[in-house]
Amino acid sequence: MAVDAVVVGTGAGGSIALRELARAGLNVVALEEGDYLTSADFTQREDEMIPRLFQDQGGRTTDDLAIRILQGRGVGGSTVHNTNLCKRVPDEILDLWSTKYRVSGVTPAEMRPHFERIESDLSVSLIPTEARNRNNDILRLGVEALGWRGGQLKHNRVGCRGSGFCELGCVYNAKQNALKIVLPQAEEAGAKICALVRATKIVHDGCEVKGLVAEATDDEGRVTATLTFRTRVVVLAASAIGSAALAQKSFVPDPSHLLGKGLRIHPGAVVAGWFVDDVVGDKGIPQSYECTEHLSFEEGSDKRAWITTAFAHPIGTACVLPGFGAAHMRAMREYRKYAVLTAMLHDESSGEVYVGRDGRPKMRYEMNAADRKGLAKGLHACAEILFAAGAREVVIPGIPPVRLRSAKELSSVDYSFVRPAGLPLTAVHPMGTMRMGDDRRTSVVTSEGEHHHLRGLFVADGSLFPTSLGGPPQIGIYSFSHHIAPHAVARARRV
Ligand SMILES: Cc1cc2nc3c(=O)[nH]c(=O)nc-3n(C[C@H](O)[C@H](O)[C@H](O)COP(=O)(O)OP(=O)(O)OC[C@H]3O[C@@H](n4cnc5c(N)ncnc54)[C@H](O)[C@@H]3O)c2cc1C
Ligand code: SF4
């Protein structure tokens, strides 16, 4: 089949690229390896939705099994089950990319119209304070009691019923995401979306893109057909993990040896506080308040933790709650009384994506000493907040778990458990594996998103970011895709 452009992946980055290419009148198709599910398919059950909505059925990890990596799989990508927090890329980060990483056209003033466009498309608004559940109010109380910096967050929801099931897909269709908003706009403009079709190889001659090979599968992943697209433009938006892996599998030229390198993931860990009165953290909007007291965007700073709430549903909680048998059951019976915070690291450690023997993407990532220290400080701060808000007991689920009865005991905590496999770590924000910039020696794609050495290959997802953001990335990814898309349109028109 001959088309003007193929977009690989339909999440935050892919949806915008697809829409903009289609609106420019181009014949464009998006390939998505996961299924096309909508709110009618979501059941609010962890056992059913996690395997259907997440990569590797929710079991994706770094290759040492130390960090769980949650990522979306399906039409809408990770925007289907994300928790809808909306923050722009901070000005300090954009300035850093412009100066140190030599990315052109992305100063705060240059990116502002893209952020505004995306925020308007996705109906971004401040989360109403009356929608703050008790878990988030405990965070606010603790932050205010300590006199720290914090505030209410923004989101992209309309008509939210506060069910608390965001991570399992929204039955009430309240999320203004790629699935509900952007992809239908793309289809209306003439784009085609092929679900259950996995891109397997970018066809090229070493200088320019010639096409793309893909496999159609059934919903069990069995290959049913091989598809070949003739095209001069491929837009990679399969996430910072999927895009780099596909480029590697396709032997895309890589003279700077940077393809797949520079992986950032914002690893995070939780701290739980036990309260006398019920918290019921699984009900209501999961995250609505943040603490930014321990977060700086300056490179090398020791303030590297973004703190918010992180309440899991029962199966997720049971997996990280310390203890076995009767002790574990006793702890689970207290489920309603726990408030849970997370410290997410604005990481400077650099991991990498590579292709495993099974042809699937793999991740190598280990926190450096400075990041381990930064995360430890973040966990310490979470515990301080919980005590300041009235927690009677605080548990840091390290191995072994740390149980504290008062803030005074905090000074004696030995954080050496913050190391690979010493503490359950989760990451939901992969970035940085095909970074952008003007200098072909230090970046993989240009500041316009086109590969330095392969004409017609564009990147329009979290892979582009030269550093981590220190906050939720979706608005940044949608907006950078909006920034890149006109260049892909221009290339498709020129060929
Ligand atoms: C649990 C969770 C909560 C989150 N909460 C927030 C939040 O509150 N706010 C926020 O800003 N961010 C949040 N995020 C992160 C945010 O959703 C992602 O950063 C963003 O969606 C990434 O966009 P992307 O385009 O890079 O990739 P994705 O949205 O992940 O999309 C990539 C798509 O490509 C597909 N794909 C991969 N390989 C192939 C292939 N070879 N062929 C075809 N298709 C392929 C995948 O199936 C997937 O659908 C959260 C993420 C998770 C997992
Ligand atoms: S909390 Fe709101 S957005 Fe989240 S699943 Fe429930 S209704 Fe949907």
Side-chain angles (χ1 to χ4, degrees):
M1 183 194 285
V3 289
D4 295 324
V6 176
V7 177
V8 182
T10 57
S15 62
I16 292 289
L18 184 70
R19 184 187 76 180
E20 298 304 307
L21 285 156
R23 281 183 174 174
L26 295 164
N27 177 12
V28 56
V29 57
L31 310 182
E32 169 52 58
E33 70 173 335
D35 210 344
Y36 204 148
L37 304 179
T38 67
S39 56
D41 301 298
F42 304 144
T43 62
Q44 302 190 336
R45 288 189 57 112
E46 286 170 274
D47 55 339
E48 291 172 1
M49 298 323 301
I50 289 175
R52 295 192 77 185
L53 293 179
F54 287 82
Q55 287 290 0
D56 301 339
Q57 307 199 338
R60 181 165 274 189
T61 65
T62 49
D63 60 3
D64 60 358
L65 308 179
I67 308 178
R68 185 179 186 212
I69 300 195
L70 289 174
Q71 270 201 295
R73 184 178 195 273
V75 174
S78 304
T79 77
V80 172
H81 54 65
N82 76 21
T83 41
N84 293 78
L85 299 181
C86 293
K87 289 188 87 167
R88 295 182 183 184
V89 180
D91 286 356
E92 297 89 329
I93 297 280
L94 292 174
D95 285 334
L96 181 73
W97 293 355
S98 302
T99 51
K100 181 169 174 186
Y101 293 92
R102 295 189 51 200
V103 188
S104 310
V106 303
T107 61
E110 287 164 319
M111 285 307 296
R112 190 174 309 122
H114 300 290
F115 294 139
E116 286 172 355
R117 171 77 263 154
I118 295 299
E119 287 170 349
S120 159
D121 286 343
L122 305 182
S123 306
V124 173
S125 65
L126 198 65
I127 303 176
T129 49
E130 60 275 16
R132 197 159 57 214
N133 69 5
R134 183 149 189 254
N135 195 28
N136 283 275
D137 219 38
I138 283 169
L139 170 57
R140 178 191 64 82
L141 273 171
V143 165
E144 288 180 1
L146 292 162
W148 287 356
R149 208 168 52 209
Q152 192 73 357
L153 287 156
K154 290 184 175 176
H155 69 167
N156 56 327
R157 296 180 179 88
V158 172
C160 170
R161 311 263 190 102
S163 69
F165 284 100
C166 304
E167 288 190 22
L168 304 182
C170 181
V171 181
Y172 306 104
N173 216 13
K175 296 175 154 204
Q176 309 300 295
N177 56 13
L179 177 66
K180 179 181 173 189
I181 304 292
V182 189
L183 293 169
Q185 290 171 340
E187 287 180 307
E188 207 175 301
K192 304 249 174 332
I193 298 173
C194 303
L196 295 172
V197 176
R198 180 171 49 233
T200 53
K201 193 173 158 207
I202 302 155
V203 182
H204 60 86
D205 63 3
C207 297
E208 57 184 19
V209 167
K210 301 284 185 191
L212 186 129
V213 180
E215 291 172 345
T217 66
D218 62 17
D219 55 9
E220 305 266 305
R222 285 180 291 253
V223 177
T224 52
T226 299
L227 311 173
T228 304
F229 296 89
R230 266 182 291 122
T231 183
R232 297 295 181 87
V233 172
V234 167
V235 181
L236 292 181
S239 85
I241 292 172
S243 292
L246 178 58
Q248 287 171 338
K249 270 167 74 160
S250 309
F251 301 102
V252 163
D254 181 29
S256 61
H257 305 292
L258 283 172
L259 175 59
K261 306 280 194 324
L263 175 69
R264 306 287 196 278
I265 55 175
H266 285 163
V270 296
V271 179
W274 187 89
F275 286 77
V276 174
D277 297 324
D278 282 358
V279 177
V280 199
D282 59 326
K283 295 286 181 294
I285 290 181
Q287 296 168 316
S288 53
Y289 196 85
E290 65 175 343
C291 169
T292 50
E293 180 71 21
H294 301 276
L295 179 65
S296 158
F297 299 115
E298 211 175 295
E299 275 196 312
S301 164
D302 63 348
K303 289 180 132 194
R304 319 206 53 78
W306 181 62
I307 295 174
T308 186
T309 51
F311 211 87
H313 295 286
I315 295 175
T317 305
C319 292
V320 291
L321 203 64
F324 294 96
H328 191 262
M329 185 181 276
R330 258 198 316 279
M332 278 306 286
R333 288 213 172 99
E334 299 295 300
Y335 181 67
R336 297 168 69 81
K337 291 186 179 291
Y338 279 105
V340 184
L341 305 183
T342 179
M344 191 199 79
L345 191 73
H346 174 27
D347 52 339
E348 290 184 350
S349 308
S350 181
E352 70 176 306
V353 167
Y354 63 97
V355 180
R357 284 202 193 132
D358 58 358
R360 298 291 297 162
K362 305 274 183 254
M363 286 74 61
R364 205 172 280 132
Y365 182 94
E366 195 176 318
M367 273 187 286
N368 64 27
D371 274 356
R372 289 205 300 273
K373 207 164 148 201
L375 184 58
K377 281 180 83 164
L379 298 176
H380 191 95
C382 289
E384 281 183 275
I385 293 169
L386 289 163
F387 279 125
R392 293 290 175 86
E393 187 190 52
V394 165
V395 183
I396 308 175
I399 303 168
V402 179
R403 292 180 190 277
L404 306 160
R405 294 284 175 176
S406 79
K408 283 191 205 120
E409 293 175 17
L410 269 168
S411 56
S412 61
V413 177
D414 167 10
Y415 286 99
S416 58
F417 60 81
V418 182
R419 61 173 195 279
L423 152 100
L425 289 165
T426 301
V428 297
H429 301 158
M431 294 162 279
T433 53
M434 296 183 76
R435 78 169 78 129
M436 64 196 309
D438 292 337
D439 186 343
R440 51 174 62 199
R441 291 164 306 176
T442 57
S443 56
V444 177
V445 300
T446 66
S447 296
E448 289 79 41
E450 188 168 20
H451 196 276
H452 280 301
H453 305 278
L454 199 58
R455 198 178 318 132
L457 181 65
F458 284 81
V459 175
D461 61 16
S463 317
L464 292 166
F465 298 164
T467 67
S468 74
L469 306 186
Q474 66 168 350
I475 293 299
I477 296 172
Y478 282 116
S479 302
F480 268 81
S481 179
H482 195 257
H483 161 72
I484 298 294
H487 303 287
V489 168
R491 173 63 68 207
R493 285 198 174 132
R494 273 204 297 273
V495 289

